[in-house]
Amino acid sequence: MSKKEQYVYIISDSVGETANKLIQAALAQFPDLEVDVSRYPFVRGEDTLISILEKAKEDNAMILHTLITNGLSSAANQFCKENNLYCFDLLNPVIEEIEKRTGAIPTKEAGALHQLNDNYFHRISAIEFAVKYDDGKDPKGFLEADIVLLGVSRTSKTPLSMFLANKNLKVANLPLVPEAHIPDQLWKVNPKKIVGLTNDPKILNSIRRERMIAYGLNPDTAYSDMKRIDDELAFAQNLYNKLDCLVINVSNRSIEETAAIILNTLQLNDMSYDN
């Protein structure tokens, strides 16, 4: 094993996504580190748990767990304590503090956040909406959407739509082309629901060239021409000014960062949860 390599075990009686997101966020601070992350979801029996922990002991692994089923979390914590393994129990300390402060009794139900409840079906409905009204396929969707995204080609409209749909938000998007007609429905939408996406010309040029190369085509076309890009961005900005909508420059921003700006600025609730 490389001296830089580290083992991490994620153990959950559900899908383990909460612990996985946490470790990935932490590992982002160590881009050169070799880390072996092993996930063990849906652990429901103590025998299974102990066998996983025995293997973790051999690897001297860090343990992150979201075990909530009665007995499993304490068994994991005790094993790690006795065997000098790092153990981070993500859920139980917070649950115990809530119980202490409020007197409410937790259900201790594994996978409670992934049940097929109303929240789940709202998310599926939002994803279907985003697919149906992607790339301006039907302008009628603008009037039903929680958010309408506008932007020239390669400003991350579609991936951002899908990301926001996973937050239970109905999103429609429209690609902006100077020669194309702006649908009448757009002018009927509350400007507070509209987000205009823009980008830096040089970055957009690079993205478009790479896209053409990926398709095996000549990268030097009108699609990647700087004058054309400047004209498209000017057209988009002029429209945003007329609409008086929120404008976000997506250059050097991740989808998550752009989504956070939208959610915070438009004061929309994030209804997405994972455990």
Side-chain angles (χ1 to χ4, degrees):
M1 181 179 74
S2 167
K3 64 180 180 180
K4 283 191 174 183
E5 189 173 7
Q6 173 62 54
Y7 289 98
V8 176
Y9 279 38
I10 295 173
I11 308 174
S12 178
D13 44 22
S14 184
V15 297
E17 191 59 27
T18 297
N20 185 58
K21 287 182 177 179
L22 175 62
I23 192 62
Q24 295 304 327
L27 292 178
Q29 301 298 319
F30 304 94
D32 298 325
L33 197 62
E34 297 178 23
V35 178
D36 187 323
V37 179
S38 299
R39 295 178 64 171
Y40 298 90
F42 306 111
V43 175
R44 300 293 172 87
E46 188 166 338
D47 289 344
T48 302
L49 172 62
I50 296 302
S51 67
I52 295 169
L53 292 172
E54 289 286 0
K55 188 173 185 301
K57 180 181 176 181
E58 295 176 8
D59 291 334
N60 189 28
M62 297 170 58
I63 306 294
L64 279 69
H65 76 76
T66 52
L67 297 165
I68 199 65
T69 307
N70 280 328
L72 289 185
S73 58
S74 57
N77 295 340
Q78 185 63 29
F79 182 97
C80 292
K81 181 178 180 181
E82 292 175 354
N83 292 276
N84 198 30
L85 286 175
Y86 175 83
C87 181
F88 186 20
D89 180 346
L90 276 72
L91 294 181
N92 287 285
V94 178
I95 291 172
E96 290 167 5
E97 184 63 22
I98 293 173
E99 183 178 7
K100 176 182 175 182
R101 291 177 179 229
T102 67
I105 306 300
T107 63
K108 295 288 186 176
E109 182 180 358
L113 297 181
H114 294 279
Q115 293 181 347
L116 301 185
N117 52 21
D118 287 345
N119 185 61
Y120 175 84
F121 289 109
H122 287 158
R123 183 183 305 179
I124 296 301
S125 177
I127 293 172
E128 291 175 342
F129 185 95
V131 172
K132 182 177 181 180
Y133 296 111
D134 183 41
D135 276 344
K137 292 174 184 173
D138 185 351
K140 294 178 182 177
F142 299 158
L143 303 177
E144 302 175 33
D146 297 312
I147 301 172
V148 176
L149 301 178
L150 309 177
V152 302
S153 176
R154 313 318 296 167
T155 49
S156 303
K157 296 182 298 300
T158 296
L160 184 56
S161 294
M162 297 307 298
F163 186 91
L164 291 168
N166 274 281
K167 306 295 184 183
N168 289 13
L169 294 166
K170 294 186 295 183
V171 185
N173 72 72
L174 176 69
L176 298 180
V177 180
E179 296 81 10
H181 171 70
I182 300 299
D184 295 336
Q185 290 88 343
L186 183 63
W187 303 102
K188 300 177 183 178
V189 178
N190 184 337
K192 292 182 179 180
K193 293 184 177 183
I194 302 175
V195 178
L197 304 175
T198 189
N199 207 331
D200 292 342
K202 290 183 179 179
I203 292 178
L204 200 54
N205 169 264
S206 177
I207 293 172
R208 291 186 177 185
R209 284 176 58 84
E210 290 176 6
R211 182 175 176 82
M212 298 302 288
I213 292 172
Y215 286 150
L217 301 174
N218 181 3
D220 297 315
T221 64
Y223 181 64
S224 59
D225 179 73
M226 284 298 296
K227 170 104 174 34
R228 172 66 184 185
I229 289 174
D230 287 337
D231 289 344
E232 288 184 28
L233 290 173
F235 170 79
Q237 186 59 55
N238 183 54
L239 176 62
Y240 302 158
N241 292 340
K242 290 179 180 178
L243 291 168
D244 193 25
C245 64
L246 171 66
V247 179
I248 302 175
N249 189 322
V250 300
S251 61
N252 300 315
R253 278 199 174 98
S254 66
I255 296 297
E256 293 84 354
E257 288 174 315
T258 304
I261 294 171
I262 293 172
L263 294 170
N264 291 334
T265 305
L266 302 187
Q267 297 183 334
L268 295 167
N269 292 323
D270 177 357
M271 299 297 292
S272 175
Y273 304 92
D274 296 288
N275 74 6

